[in-house]
Amino acid sequence: MILLPCPWCGPRDAGEFRYVGESASRPDPRTTDPATWRDYLYFRDNPLGWATETWYHRAGCRRYLRMERHTETNEVRSSRQAGASPASPASPASPAGGNR
Ligand SMILES: [Zn+2]
């Protein structure tokens, strides 16, 4: 069993989560060229090692998380609210979305 840390729910089984994808900054579609937009939509780095990814806790708090996960060992070294900066830890007292 693989446990993933949710900032709000604590360590939970990986089956409760949905993998969303590697974190990548979204280019502005109005100003970017087609090749850059295509790369953003279809190409992934797929690294062997540490990767920053977005996950969705679908069977828990139903929030999006940003995790740093080792793709070979599944070790997780950080987990925070998606969209939060690495310096600011997730704050369970300030819900993202807030529609629960
Ligand atoms: Zn959760």
Side-chain angles (χ1 to χ4, degrees):
M1 176 165 59
I2 297 173
L3 293 176
L4 296 178
C6 175
W8 296 276
C9 308
R12 304 295 284 262
D13 184 76
E16 294 186 7
F17 295 83
R18 182 175 65 85
Y19 177 76
V20 176
E22 293 176 9
S23 297
S25 60
R26 182 178 187 264
D28 186 347
R30 295 171 295 179
T31 59
T32 193
D33 60 274
T36 303
W37 186 247
R38 182 190 62 230
D39 288 353
Y40 167 74
L41 291 178
Y42 300 111
F43 291 108
R44 302 293 176 260
D45 291 337
N46 194 23
L48 175 62
W50 290 103
T52 303
E53 304 168 327
T54 302
W55 289 75
Y56 177 62
H57 196 180
R58 62 183 172 82
C61 60
R62 301 174 68 181
R63 292 184 172 134
Y64 287 90
L65 334 169
R66 181 84 24 108
M67 281 190 211
E68 282 185 279
R69 182 181 66 90
H70 197 284
T71 57
E72 185 177 24
T73 64
N74 285 319
E75 179 186 355
V76 176
R77 66 180 173 193
S78 72
S79 175
R80 64 184 188 277
Q81 174 183 345
S85 69
S88 63
S91 173
S94 59
N99 56 352
R100 289 200 60 201

